């Protein structure tokens, strides 16, 4: 079964190490063909998670092949050179493993969680499907139906998911990233050809477009040895970066009313903001992240607990998106409350935060303590640890960003929070989607 | 490998085998504790037998009582409580199911943080004040949840299935109650519910984290000391087996039909527990590699998700096969699912299936106890459901000894295909 062993001698001396994190238990390496490797040891239990992250996702797609990264993710379980369709999952399962995959805007990732004795098996099998996937029309026909069912389940029959889908449609131009849904438009899902999938695979599934992240009770030398043995023989694809100049394009002052068969209204607002990867000053990104926490707490207290004009409210910011992203506020109006009145209250809260930043002093202090504790709590799951490492690597950020997170957040002042609120939460520019329920039956 | 320079400066300690300690507090609370090293954190779950099966006729009472913990205590208001937890980075949460009403805390073990978090937690649980203001707000939120359920075909299906399978039993009604039942619940009801059920003898305390046994004893004692000793809640009646099959369809304007097929299940003391556990794992409990997933998703592309499971409750839970498919092919999917179940009941599974299923559970067992959060759940279950304290250490041996014949016999004894509930929510064709 070990078909790549001959390559080790050729490639081992090109191993290069970079950006290790001093003071942490993280090691990194890059193979000669560009495959990045990140290893974090965690010996609390005799298990590991191995994730292979590809830098490709919905943000690389446009019509008529939206959702193709996700479709390909499904096809990755449908057989490769060494394994028949479904056999990958069966072998992992009978070796005690838990496995799955996920696709997002900026990445597609595959993982196995297993007992530490199964490390080589996991890496060997993942390597096989990086370059040797079988493409069968019969499998595509069936799996396409599975994906359409997934879309019906997640989006079509879920009114709030439709609101978020529409918010991205109106907030980003279709010529750039983040416009189309990750799962794709139904018409596109219905029409991919096998050749589209093969092309996508051959373009993006290359070692220099991937990061292997392993967290758990492993010996970093072994991880690198196995990665070298099984991935080392693959050639880099020198043309990948040419395909990646498709940043998001902001649209402002857009709105859409959705009249759906639903019981509850829902309202979502977006503002355009930079991410940590795109900002001209990293401080700004952390300040926006802090603003999201402070507003989420502040609005929950004022609108949900005190005034009781919303049944739920949530503020979101995607610090680790690859391109310029959205700062969102979404809420469910309480029964009988006009959404415009709620919007007015949100604007008042934001204005107060901008004009009187000293009022959030205590809140800011508590949030910092909470973030510091959350950082420890997150170490409890090896999957959370590997998720952050893989995501950072996939959007082109150094992984020391993870360790610096708490320190950077601790530097944010009340005035900083007010400043980014003033700069980015401009009420004249916001986009919104409103769901007006039409009742059921 | 001489070119490797590993930047390995700090490695957390290797965890020894999980050692579960247990004792009873002077007031009568059962305590289970596992010390885990490597992270300076502690998880506490208080599991009271005080959930919706204790509602009586006031549906929603248990959930309301549970969710009002943390809104006011003898010495603090809600905003003060929130700020106290936040100021030390602690996470406080409440959760109420059908059997278990849970109050939990996650905190750092640094002494300053731990003490504030623990004192606040103890006060919130042992000296709550139920105020009208918060009861009314919580009722409004519950009415909102009731409307949210009505726009979710999955929730409609799940509640309707409970109603059918648990008819006449305290598990039948929804744990959040109904519009009518909520109207009749007062703060006095909450106080009475609290005084009856939030008592030491009705409590399992689970603790997991980087503290010593001495410290764990101290913490459990502090919490338990503030509670009345009280009485253990009497057992609920067992759920009765279904007398006949039922076909239920609920019309709903969704693109997919949600299909639920099943009947009465088991509790954790059931004599066939391990055969049924392993059998279900192979049938529909193991993701893409299960028999149901192979027949319905992999072979035919009929659904994104198809699963089967037992909810293992105190008074017997339910057994369920669940899938979603576009309305037009709901009948086809139902036929395939029924056929798969028939085969499973009529013929022993193949040796390959049996061995694969065992290997998955046994080989993957270390994953189940790899995080504090997972261990906490197991300790809660072991204590609350009176499982032997060596439940975890013997689990893989029990699974190893199950044969294909055992599975077939256990399923045939329990599952009667002539008395199925077949429930669909979607647009009938």
């Amino acid at each position: 079964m070990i078909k790549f062993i001959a390559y080790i001698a050729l490639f081992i001396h090109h191993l290069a190490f970079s950006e290790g994190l001093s003071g942490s238990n993280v090691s990194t390496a890059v193979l000669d063909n560009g495959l990045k490797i990140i290893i974090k040891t965690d010996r609390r239990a005799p298990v590991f998670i191995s994730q292979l992250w590809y830098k490709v996702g919905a943000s690389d797609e446009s019509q008529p092949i939206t959702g193709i990264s996700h479709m390909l993710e499904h096809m990755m379980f449908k057989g490769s050179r060494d394994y028949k369709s479904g056999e990958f999952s069966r072998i992992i399962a009978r070796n005690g493993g838990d496995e799955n995959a996920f696709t997002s805007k900026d990445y597609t990732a595959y993982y196995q969680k297993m007992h530490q004795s199964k490390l080589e098996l996991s890496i060997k099998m993942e390597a096989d499907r990086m370059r040797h996937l079988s493409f069968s029309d019969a499998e595509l026909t069936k799996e396409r139906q599975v994906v359409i069912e997934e879309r019906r389940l997640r989006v079509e029959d879920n009114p709030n998911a439709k609101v978020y889908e529409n918010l991205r449609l109106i907030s980003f131009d279709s010529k750039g990233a983040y416009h189309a849904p990750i799962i794709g438009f139904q018409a596109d899902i219905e029409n991919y050809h096998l050749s589209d999938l093969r092309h996508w695979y051959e373009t993006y599934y290359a070692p220099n477009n991937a990061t292997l992240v392993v967290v758990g009770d492993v010996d970093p030398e072994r991880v690198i040895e196995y990665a070298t043995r099984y991935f080392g023989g693959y050639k880099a694809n020198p043309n990948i970066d040419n395909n990646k100049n498709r940043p998001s394009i902001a649209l402002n002052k857009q709105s859409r009313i959705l009249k759906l068969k639903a019981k509850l209204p829902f309202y979502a607002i977006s503002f355009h903001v930079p991410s940590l990867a795109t900002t001209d000053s990293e401080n700004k990104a952390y300040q926006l992240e802090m603003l999201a926490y402070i507003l989420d707490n502040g609005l929950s207290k004022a609108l949900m607990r005190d005034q009781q004009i919303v049944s739920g409210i949530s503020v979101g910011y995607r610090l680790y998106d690859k391109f310029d992203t959205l700062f969102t506020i979404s809420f469910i109006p309480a029964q009988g409350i006009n959404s415009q009145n709620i919007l007015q209250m949100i604007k008042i809260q934001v204005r107060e935060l901008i004009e009187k930043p000293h009022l959030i002093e205590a809140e800011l202090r508590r949030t910092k303590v909470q973030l510091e504790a959350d950082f420890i709590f997150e170490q409890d799951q090896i999957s959370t640890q590997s998720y952050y490492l893989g995501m950072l690597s996939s959007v082109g950020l150094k992984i020391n960003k993870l360790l610096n997170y708490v320190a950077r957040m601790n530097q944010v002042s009340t005035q900083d929070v007010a400043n980014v609120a003033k700069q980015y939460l401009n009420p004249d520019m916001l986009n919104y989607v409103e769901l007006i329920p039409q009742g059921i039956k | 490998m001489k070119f490797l320079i590993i930047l390995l400066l700090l490695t957390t300690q290797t965890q020894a085998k999980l050692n579960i300690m247990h004792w009873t507090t002077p007031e009568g609370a059962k305590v289970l504790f596992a010390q885990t090293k490597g992270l300076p954190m502690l998880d506490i779950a208080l599991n009271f037998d005080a959930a919706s099966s204790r509602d009586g006729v006031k549906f929603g009472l248990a959930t309301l009582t549970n969710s009002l913990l943390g809104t006011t205590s003898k010495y603090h208001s809600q905003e003060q409580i929130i700020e106290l937890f936040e100021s030390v980075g602690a996470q406080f949460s409440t959760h109420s199911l059908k059997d278990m009403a849970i109050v939990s805390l996650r905190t750092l073990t640094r002494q300053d943080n731990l003490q504030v978090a623990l004192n606040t937690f103890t006060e919130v649980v042992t000296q709550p004040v139920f105020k009208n203001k918060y009861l009314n707000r919580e009722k409004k939120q519950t009415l909102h949840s009731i409307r949210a359920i009505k726009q979710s075909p999955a929730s409609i299906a799940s509640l309707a299935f409970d109603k059918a399978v648990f008819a006449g039993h305290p598990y039948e009604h929804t744990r959040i109650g109904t519009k009518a039942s909520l109207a009749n619940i007062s703060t006095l009801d909450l106080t009475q519910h609290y005084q009856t059920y939030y008592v030491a003898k009705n409590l399992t305390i689970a603790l997991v984290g980087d503290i010593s046994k001495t410290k764990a004893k101290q913490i459990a004692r502090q919490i338990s000391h503030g509670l009345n000793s009280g009485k253990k809640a009497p057992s609920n009646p067992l759920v009765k087996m279904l007398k006949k099959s039922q076909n239920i369809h609920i019309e709903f304007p969704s693109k997919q039909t949600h299909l639920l097929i099943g009947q009465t299940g088991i509790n954790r003391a059931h004599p066939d527990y391990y055969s049924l556990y392993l059998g279900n794992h192979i049938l529909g409990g193991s993701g893409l590699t299960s028999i149901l997933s192979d027949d319905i998703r992999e072979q035919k592309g009929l659904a994104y998700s198809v699963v089967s499971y037992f909810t293992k409750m105190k008074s017997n839970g339910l057994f369920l096969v669940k899938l979603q498919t576009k309305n037009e092919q709901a009948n086809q999917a139902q036929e395939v699912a029924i056929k798969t179940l028939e085969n499973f009941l009529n013929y022993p599974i193949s040796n390959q299936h049996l061995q694969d299923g065992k290997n998955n559970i046994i080989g993957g067992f270390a994953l189940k106890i790899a995080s504090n959060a997972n261990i906490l759940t197991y300790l809660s279950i072991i204590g609350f459901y009176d499982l032997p304290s060596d439940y975890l250490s013997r689990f893989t041996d029990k699974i190893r000894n199950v044969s294909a014949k055992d599975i077939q016999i256990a399923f045939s004894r329990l599952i009667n295909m002539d008395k199925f509930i077949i429930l669909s929510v979607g647009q009938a064709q």
Side-chain angles (χ1 to χ4, degrees):
Chain A
M1 293 289 268
I2 302 170
K3 295 182 175 170
F4 318 127
I5 197 146
Y7 292 109
I8 288 185
L10 287 171
F11 283 82
I12 193 88
H13 64 281
H14 295 302
L15 272 177
F17 276 80
S18 62
E19 57 164 8
L21 299 181
S22 71
S24 80
N25 40 352
V26 177
S27 349
T28 63
V30 183
L31 297 193
D32 194 51
N33 59 14
L35 180 74
K36 284 199 191 117
I37 303 166
I38 303 171
I39 304 140
K40 181 169 186 216
T41 52
D42 178 337
R43 306 203 187 283
R44 293 177 304 139
V47 299
F48 71 87
I49 183 166
S50 175
Q51 297 185 321
L52 189 63
W53 291 68
Y54 292 99
K55 293 183 216 173
V56 62
S59 61
D60 299 292
E61 303 164 352
S62 52
Q63 289 180 57
I65 54 161
T66 63
I68 196 164
S69 302
H70 174 255
M71 186 76 232
L72 178 57
E73 178 223 296
H74 276 243
M75 294 305 290
M76 286 283 278
F77 295 84
K78 294 296 174 183
S80 57
R81 184 182 62 188
D82 292 345
Y83 308 100
K84 294 194 304 254
S85 179
E87 206 182 347
F88 188 102
S89 301
R90 279 194 293 275
I91 292 173
I92 296 296
R94 77 170 65 113
N95 281 280
D98 240 7
E99 50 123 32
N100 212 329
F102 48 92
T103 306
S104 190
K105 299 187 295 262
D106 303 321
Y107 44 78
T108 310
Y110 301 82
Y111 71 84
Q112 298 85 41
K113 252 161 87 174
M114 306 181 84
H115 187 266
Q116 44 111 303
S117 60
K118 305 293 182 181
L119 178 66
E120 182 174 6
L121 178 76
S122 157
I123 292 178
K124 178 176 81 173
M125 291 183 66
E126 195 60 72
D128 186 60
R129 62 179 177 177
M130 175 187 265
R131 291 271 83 178
H132 303 293
L133 196 64
S134 317
F135 285 92
S136 141
D137 252 322
E139 293 291 351
L140 174 60
T141 304
K142 281 186 290 185
E143 204 59 22
R144 190 199 304 280
Q145 295 312 313
V146 170
V147 170
I148 293 171
E149 292 296 347
E150 184 180 358
R151 185 177 159 86
R152 288 188 186 111
L153 183 68
R154 288 188 194 278
V155 185
E156 303 290 338
D157 286 344
N158 182 344
N160 291 4
K162 278 193 174 163
V163 169
Y164 284 119
E165 185 171 296
N166 276 277
L167 188 66
R168 287 187 294 267
L169 291 178
I170 63 166
S171 298
F172 294 110
D173 191 286
S174 63
K175 292 192 220 32
Y178 299 165
H179 171 81
I182 292 164
I183 198 165
F185 295 112
Q186 177 132 357
D188 290 354
I189 303 172
E190 282 166 1
N191 285 303
Y192 313 125
H193 297 290
L194 206 57
S195 56
D196 298 327
L197 287 155
R198 186 179 280 126
H199 176 72
W200 205 251
Y201 176 72
E202 283 167 0
T203 306
Y204 292 111
Y205 281 46
N208 55 324
N209 199 42
T211 306
L212 177 70
V213 183
V214 180
V215 176
D217 187 10
V218 295
D219 174 357
E221 289 193 39
R222 283 288 94 71
V223 175
I224 292 164
E225 179 192 329
Y226 297 143
T228 307
R229 183 178 305 164
Y230 296 111
F231 288 97
Y234 297 159
K235 287 199 178 66
N237 176 359
N239 300 318
I240 285 171
D241 290 337
N242 302 341
N243 296 313
K244 298 214 146 180
N245 297 316
R246 238 179 127 264
S248 58
I249 303 166
L251 300 175
N252 289 301
K253 302 184 190 181
Q254 305 295 308
S255 65
R256 191 169 281 182
I257 306 286
L258 297 181
K259 293 186 175 174
L260 302 174
K261 283 179 180 165
K263 285 279 180 186
L264 295 168
F266 188 53
Y267 203 102
I269 308 165
S270 72
F271 301 93
H272 287 281
V273 287
S275 69
L276 186 57
T278 65
T279 180
D280 49 15
S281 136
E282 286 191 353
N283 291 337
K284 282 232 171 99
Y286 292 106
Q287 289 157 7
L288 281 164
E289 170 95 341
M290 186 60 88
L291 173 64
Y293 278 107
I294 298 279
L295 260 191
D296 192 278
N297 279 337
L299 293 174
S300 298
K301 177 182 186 307
L303 275 51
M304 194 159 96
R305 296 203 295 272
D306 292 348
Q307 301 174 33
Q308 301 177 30
I309 58 175
V310 298
S311 305
I313 187 157
S314 127
V315 180
Y317 169 62
R318 305 272 306 179
L319 179 66
Y320 297 133
D321 272 357
K322 183 174 171 183
F323 300 114
D324 285 344
T325 184
L326 297 179
F327 191 99
T328 57
I329 303 174
S330 53
F331 59 85
I332 305 162
Q335 198 171 26
I337 307 290
N338 185 308
S339 55
Q340 289 308 312
N341 295 347
I342 299 167
L343 200 53
Q344 228 25 61
M345 287 310 301
I346 292 174
K347 286 176 184 171
I348 290 170
Q349 289 278 320
V350 171
R351 199 181 317 133
E352 185 165 277
L353 186 153
I354 292 169
E355 287 166 4
K356 301 173 192 161
H358 62 277
L359 292 180
I360 58 164
E361 197 133 354
E363 182 68 51
L364 182 76
R365 198 167 48 238
R366 287 195 302 271
T367 303
K368 287 175 179 176
V369 177
Q370 191 77 60
L371 290 174
E372 205 165 339
D374 289 349
F375 188 78
I376 306 275
F377 299 155
E378 278 167 3
Q379 315 291 313
D380 189 36
Q381 302 282 356
I382 52 173
S383 51
T384 312
Q385 300 177 46
S386 59
Y387 177 74
Y388 280 113
L389 291 167
M391 184 162 57
L392 285 168
S393 173
S394 299
V395 303
L397 291 168
K398 296 244 188 293
I399 54 172
N400 64 9
K401 292 277 186 289
L402 187 59
L403 281 189
N404 297 341
Y405 176 83
V406 172
R408 296 302 296 265
M409 292 296 276
N410 268 326
Q411 288 167 8
V412 177
S413 71
T414 55
Q415 190 58 52
D416 292 334
V417 174
N419 291 347
V420 285
K422 187 168 183 211
Q423 182 176 357
Y424 293 106
L425 306 193
N426 179 352
D428 298 330
M429 301 293 272
L430 68 81
N431 302 308
Y432 72 86
V433 177
E434 178 168 19
L435 186 170
I436 300 180
Q438 302 299 293
I440 295 168
K441 285 174 201 172
Chain B
M1 303 295 281
K2 62 185 169 184
F3 298 99
L4 297 181
I5 308 154
I6 304 293
L7 295 161
L8 188 69
L9 298 167
L10 186 149
T11 308
T12 42
Q13 207 178 323
T14 298
Q15 181 74 45
K17 165 172 171 295
L18 187 66
N19 179 18
I20 301 173
M21 292 169 258
H22 58 101
W23 64 90
T24 306
T25 67
E27 293 79 20
K30 198 191 270 192
V31 188
L32 289 93
F33 165 61
Q35 184 181 18
T36 58
K37 290 189 187 280
L39 291 174
M41 58 188 270
L42 170 69
D43 281 288
I44 306 176
L46 309 183
N47 308 281
F48 293 94
D49 188 340
S52 71
S53 61
R54 307 294 175 189
D55 276 343
V57 294
K58 303 212 169 194
F59 299 165
L61 171 60
T63 301
L64 282 171
T65 308
N66 180 256
S67 63
L68 252 72
L69 295 177
T71 55
T72 312
S73 62
K74 195 169 174 189
Y75 303 108
H76 293 99
S77 70
Q78 177 171 42
E79 294 306 325
Q80 287 172 327
I81 292 165
I82 291 173
E83 287 176 13
L84 276 166
F85 282 127
E86 275 185 4
S87 70
V88 290
Q91 296 174 350
F92 167 79
S93 61
T94 59
H95 202 49
S96 188
L97 307 168
K98 285 184 193 285
D99 277 342
M100 279 175 154
I102 308 161
V103 191
S104 43
L105 177 73
R106 170 168 270 199
T107 172
L108 297 175
T109 47
R110 200 190 296 148
Q111 187 53 30
D112 298 353
N113 301 56
L114 179 61
Q115 211 49 56
V116 173
L118 191 64
N119 291 347
T120 311
F121 185 65
T122 306
E123 187 188 313
V124 157
V125 178
T126 63
Q127 297 179 286
V129 178
F130 298 105
K131 287 197 164 172
N132 251 321
K133 175 181 155 189
Y134 294 121
L135 176 60
N136 289 336
R137 190 183 71 195
E138 212 50 50
K139 281 186 186 177
K140 267 168 74 178
Q141 283 295 105
T142 307
L143 291 173
H144 166 82
S145 303
I146 291 171
R147 287 195 296 278
I149 286 167
K150 288 183 180 155
Q151 68 178 30
S152 157
S155 305
I156 293 170
S158 161
L159 293 183
F161 195 87
D162 278 5
K163 208 172 152 78
V165 77
F166 297 133
H169 190 272
Y171 289 161
E172 175 184 345
H173 66 274
T174 140
R175 57 197 167 83
I176 63 174
T178 63
K179 198 173 172 184
S181 72
L182 292 173
N184 289 320
I185 295 172
S186 68
T187 52
L188 183 64
D189 295 317
L190 268 62
T191 305
Q192 281 173 354
H193 184 84
Y194 174 84
Q195 283 171 349
T196 310
Y197 296 110
Y198 283 75
V199 292
K201 283 189 176 153
N202 204 33
L203 165 65
T204 294
I205 303 175
L207 301 121
V208 179
D210 193 4
I211 55 167
S212 67
K213 188 182 180 188
T214 312
K215 186 76 193 169
K217 284 208 144 173
Q218 212 178 24
I219 291 171
R221 184 70 213 274
Q222 177 180 336
I223 294 165
S224 162
H225 188 64
L227 293 166
N228 286 327
S229 191
K231 282 191 303 207
K232 194 170 168 60
S235 297
N236 278 312
L238 281 183
V239 175
K240 292 198 182 74
M241 294 308 227
L242 298 167
K243 294 212 170 59
K244 58 182 175 55
S245 64
Q246 293 180 59
N247 278 285
I248 303 165
H249 175 75
I250 299 169
E251 191 65 15
F252 188 84
S254 51
K255 295 201 168 156
Q256 285 186 320
T257 294
H258 289 241
L259 184 65
L260 282 67
I261 303 170
Q263 56 189 231
T264 315
I266 56 168
N267 62 24
R268 290 171 188 272
H270 194 279
D272 292 334
Y273 182 83
Y274 293 95
S275 300
L276 294 169
Y277 183 100
L278 176 60
N280 178 68
H281 189 79
I282 295 163
L283 173 66
S286 48
L288 290 180
T289 56
S290 74
I291 294 175
L292 276 166
S293 186
D294 193 50
D295 288 357
I296 287 175
R297 174 173 161 157
E298 300 302 300
Q299 301 301 326
K300 299 207 162 64
L302 287 172
Y304 171 65
S305 150
V306 50
V307 295
S308 69
Y309 57 84
F310 288 97
T311 59
K312 290 151 285 203
M313 322 247 300
K314 269 208 167 149
S315 318
N316 290 352
L318 51 75
F319 167 72
L320 189 58
V321 172
K322 182 159 82 177
L323 64 88
Q324 310 84 24
T325 191
K326 70 175 167 187
N327 292 316
E328 297 81 353
Q329 63 196 16
N331 290 336
Q332 186 196 352
Q334 180 178 326
E335 279 163 25
V336 178
I338 297 271
K339 185 84 202 147
T340 299
L341 271 168
E342 269 172 8
N343 283 338
F344 191 78
L345 290 171
N346 293 338
Y347 307 101
I349 52 169
S350 71
N351 255 330
Q352 182 76 60
H353 270 133
L354 180 73
Q355 210 45 55
D356 283 0
K358 286 185 184 183
N359 289 346
N360 181 243
I361 292 171
I362 295 166
F365 192 72
L367 292 169
K368 293 204 183 296
I369 49 170
S371 70
N372 291 3
N374 288 2
I375 296 169
L376 187 77
T377 303
Y378 274 115
L379 297 195
S380 296
I381 287 172
I382 290 169
F384 189 85
Y385 289 104
D386 296 315
L387 303 180
S389 59
D390 60 358
Y391 170 78
L392 283 175
S393 56
R394 289 172 59 195
F395 190 84
T396 52
D397 282 338
K398 297 274 192 184
I399 292 294
R400 200 173 278 121
N401 291 328
V402 175
S403 71
K405 195 74 196 155
D406 293 336
I407 292 174
Q408 197 202 345
I409 291 170
F411 268 81
S412 315
R413 262 202 291 253
L414 182 74
I415 307 295
N416 183 345
M417 303 257 324
D418 298 330
K419 288 173 186 164
F420 262 142
I421 295 166
I422 299 178
L423 184 139
S424 54
V425 175
Q427 301 187 60
Q429 297 301 296

